[in-house]
Amino acid sequence: MLFSLPGTPMIQYGSEIGMGDDLSQEGRKSVRTPMQWTTEKNAGFSSAPVSQLPRPVISKGDYAYTKVNVVQQQRETNSLLNWMERVIRLRRQYPELGTGKCDILETKSSKIFAHSCTLVYTTVVVHNLSNEDVTVLLPILDQEDKYAVEVFSNDDYSMPKKGQLSINAYGYRWFRLNPATGEKKTQV
């Protein structure tokens, strides 16, 4: 959701790989651990002796550098790092996200947050904030002079029909509205 809202999205250091914090460290030191680049010594952060590192690397538990690191995630198609790179590319492709006019869309469901961003084109973003599948009506997706192309989602959904949109628990769907040329299109 962060990458679809107005302004500049900010992520915490290491969040792009799901890197944890070292909770054995006091206060803010817990979030200032070396970046986990590889499975090599010191997580590939430094070849210095461990005693000379500014903070110890996370070496135990679910967030150990041997389990969570950049090189490993670059190899995995469905990794968090690859997802982050994809969403950043999409945000750059659709300049209306972040800089366009943002309007919150009525969905009649407290489980859904939907908004549109318009600059030259319009992108419609829908997020399900609940743990249940939801179907909502979004008339903006059913206009005579435009057709919707789904550009990003968490699943392989069917295209909305007459503005009726289904979305999985905690799911998201992004649509670009394109001008119709002649016959109305429903899917690309």
Side-chain angles (χ1 to χ4, degrees):
M1 187 181 329
L2 176 67
F3 285 89
S4 70
L5 294 171
T8 303
M10 300 292 288
I11 58 171
Q12 183 178 339
Y13 167 86
S15 293
E16 67 275 27
I17 62 170
M19 195 172 119
D21 301 332
D22 185 354
L23 300 179
S24 69
Q25 299 291 310
E26 287 184 26
R28 295 182 64 185
K29 291 178 183 178
S30 67
V31 298
R32 295 181 173 168
T33 56
M35 185 65 177
Q36 297 172 186
W37 295 105
T38 69
T39 58
E40 298 170 330
K41 178 185 172 188
N42 298 329
F45 177 78
S46 172
S47 59
V50 173
S51 62
Q52 292 182 358
L53 294 177
R55 302 277 181 272
V57 297
I58 300 172
S59 58
K60 295 180 182 161
D62 292 338
Y63 300 106
Y65 70 90
T66 55
K67 296 179 182 178
V68 178
N69 63 72
V70 172
V71 169
Q72 169 203 14
Q73 289 196 22
Q74 285 174 329
R75 289 188 219 139
E76 295 174 7
T77 305
N78 293 321
S79 70
L80 179 58
L81 178 62
N82 280 320
W83 183 92
M84 291 290 280
E85 288 175 352
R86 191 166 58 248
V87 77
I88 290 167
R89 271 193 313 274
L90 280 166
R91 184 172 167 99
R92 288 181 183 160
Q93 277 180 275
Y94 303 107
E96 59 271 18
L97 296 171
T99 59
K101 180 181 181 292
C102 183
D103 292 306
I104 296 174
L105 304 174
E106 177 56 49
T107 64
K108 295 186 177 16
S109 172
S110 62
K111 298 173 182 177
I112 298 292
F113 175 70
H115 69 284
S116 65
C117 297
T118 304
L119 201 53
V120 174
Y121 290 96
T122 297
T123 296
V124 176
V125 179
V126 185
H127 285 94
N128 183 349
L129 305 177
S130 77
N131 62 353
E132 300 172 6
D133 295 356
V134 177
T135 300
V136 295
L137 180 64
L138 277 176
I140 194 171
L141 296 177
D142 187 39
Q143 299 178 46
E144 288 299 318
D145 62 336
K146 293 187 173 56
Y147 68 95
V149 175
E150 189 156 11
V151 295
F152 191 51
S153 68
N154 67 300
D155 204 347
D156 187 20
Y157 294 101
S158 60
M159 284 301 290
K161 291 185 174 76
K162 299 187 188 231
Q164 195 85 9
L165 172 95
S166 296
I167 187 166
N168 296 344
Y170 302 114
Y172 54 89
R173 299 180 75 174
W174 296 16
F175 298 89
R176 168 60 86 78
L177 300 183
N178 293 305
T181 53
E183 187 178 318
K184 184 178 176 185
K185 296 182 181 183
T186 56
Q187 190 171 358
V188 171

